[in-house]
Amino acid sequence: MSTNPTHWTKVDNYFTDLLTPADPVLTAALQDSEAAGLPAINVAPNQGKLLHLLAQLQGAHRILEIGTLGGYSTIWLARALPADGHLLTLEYSPKHAEVAAANLTRAGLDKITEIRTGPALDSLATLHAESPAPFDLVFIDADKANNPHYVEWSLKLTRPGSLIIVDNVVRGGEVTNPKSDDPSIRGTRAALELIASHPKLDGTAVQTVGTKGYDGFALARVLD
Ligand code: SAH
Ligand code: DHB
Ligand code: MG
C-alpha cells in the first residue's frame, strides 16, 4: 500500500498501457487541446474507459455531458453509443467548443454529437423547454459551484434507471470541510447532500488516485 503519488502514477501507467492501449484519435485530441492552450483537466484514460464501460452497461442511447473542454471524455462516452445514439455536451467557452468540435469530427463522432456553447445553466433551461427524450446517462464535469443545480437539472432530463456521474468530488480531501468558503467545495458538498437526501436518487462516491492526482467521483441512479 502506498500514499506516494509516484506510485499512483506508476500503477496508472501500468493499467493504462495494458487496458487502454494507444489510440491515435484520443492522443491527437489531447495534443490539439494542449496546443490550443486548454488546461489538462480531462479525465485520465482509465477513467475515460470507465465512463465508456458505464455508458455501455447502461445501454445508453442518449448521453448528456456538462463540461466539454476539448472533448476527450466526450469521445470516450460517444464511442459507447449505438449508430443512432446521441450525445449532447455543454460548454461555456467558445474556444474549448471549437477545439472539441474538431476533435469529435476527427473521431468520426460529429454526426452523433452536438456541442452547445454558453453557460450550462442557460443551455439546460433551453434544453428542458424543448422537452427532449430522457437522457440515459449524465456526466457532470463543469464549474463545481453549480453542481447541485446540475444534479437538479439532470433529474428533470432523465428517467428512472438513468445514471448521473459527478466528477471531482474529492479535490484533495477538502470536500470534508463543512466550513470551506471555496464555491467549488460548497457546490460539490451540496451535490453530494442532494444525492444523499433526494427520494429519487440512490448514490455513492468513490475516491480515486492516479495520473490526475487524488480526487473522486459520485454515481447516482435515478429511482422511480
Ligand atoms: N469533461 C472534460 C473536462 C471538462 S473541464 C474531460 O474530462 O475531458 C470543465 C469544463 O467546463 C471546461 O471546459 C470549462 O470551460 C467548462 N465550464 C466551466 N463553467 C461552465 C459553465 N458555467 N457552463 C458550461 N461549461 C462550463
Ligand atoms: C479541474 C476540473 C476538472 O473537471 C478536473 O477533472 C480536474 C480539475 C479544475 O478545475 O481544476
Ligand atoms: Mg473533471
Side-chain angles (χ1 to χ4, degrees):
M1 203 197 80
S2 174
T3 53
N4 183 338
T6 308
H7 293 173
W8 304 348
T9 301
K10 199 175 160 193
V11 173
D12 240 21
N13 287 336
Y14 168 70
F15 287 161
T16 296
D17 291 347
L18 187 64
L19 297 161
T20 62
D23 179 316
V25 165
L26 287 166
T27 303
L30 291 182
Q31 276 170 353
D32 284 9
S33 296
E34 188 184 0
L38 272 54
I41 55 174
N42 50 277
V43 294
N46 49 349
Q47 295 170 342
K49 182 69 181 280
L50 176 64
L51 294 174
H52 176 86
L53 291 170
L54 288 169
Q56 285 184 325
L57 288 166
Q58 188 64 4
H61 275 72
R62 291 175 53 78
I63 297 175
L64 175 63
E65 178 179 65
I66 307 174
T68 316
L69 193 65
Y72 182 78
S73 55
T74 321
I75 293 172
W76 277 113
L77 285 165
R79 280 179 169 176
L81 289 169
D84 63 346
H86 184 71
L87 181 150
L88 175 61
T89 184
L90 310 179
E91 172 54 51
Y92 176 77
S93 158
K95 180 181 159 185
H96 295 185
E98 194 183 313
V99 173
N103 285 334
L104 289 167
T105 298
R106 176 173 37 218
L109 295 165
D110 47 316
K111 299 277 188 298
I112 59 165
T113 56
E114 181 191 352
I115 307 171
R116 293 195 187 181
T117 308
L121 286 181
D122 293 354
S123 301
L124 288 162
T126 303
L127 175 65
H128 185 248
E130 295 166 7
S131 302
F135 292 91
D136 308 301
L137 186 155
V138 184
F139 179 48
I140 300 175
D141 191 22
D143 50 325
K144 316 307 175 193
N146 278 318
N147 274 349
H149 305 300
Y150 295 148
V151 172
E152 293 278 16
W153 277 114
S154 298
L155 278 164
K156 293 189 213 295
L157 292 162
T158 52
R159 55 161 174 86
S162 292
L163 176 64
I164 300 171
I165 306 170
V166 186
D167 197 24
N168 310 114
V169 299
V170 174
R171 310 312 293 264
E174 188 59 14
V175 71
T176 59
N177 181 4
K179 298 199 182 90
S180 175
D181 54 14
D182 177 342
S184 296
I185 298 298
R186 294 177 77 89
T188 295
R189 285 177 60 88
L192 290 166
E193 285 158 23
L194 188 58
I195 290 170
S197 63
H198 200 289
K200 289 203 166 173
L201 287 173
D202 189 22
T204 189
V206 174
Q207 303 180 71
T208 57
V209 294
T211 54
K212 296 289 168 175
Y214 170 42
D215 214 318
F217 55 86
L219 291 179
R221 179 175 153 84
V222 179
L223 303 174
D224 288 312

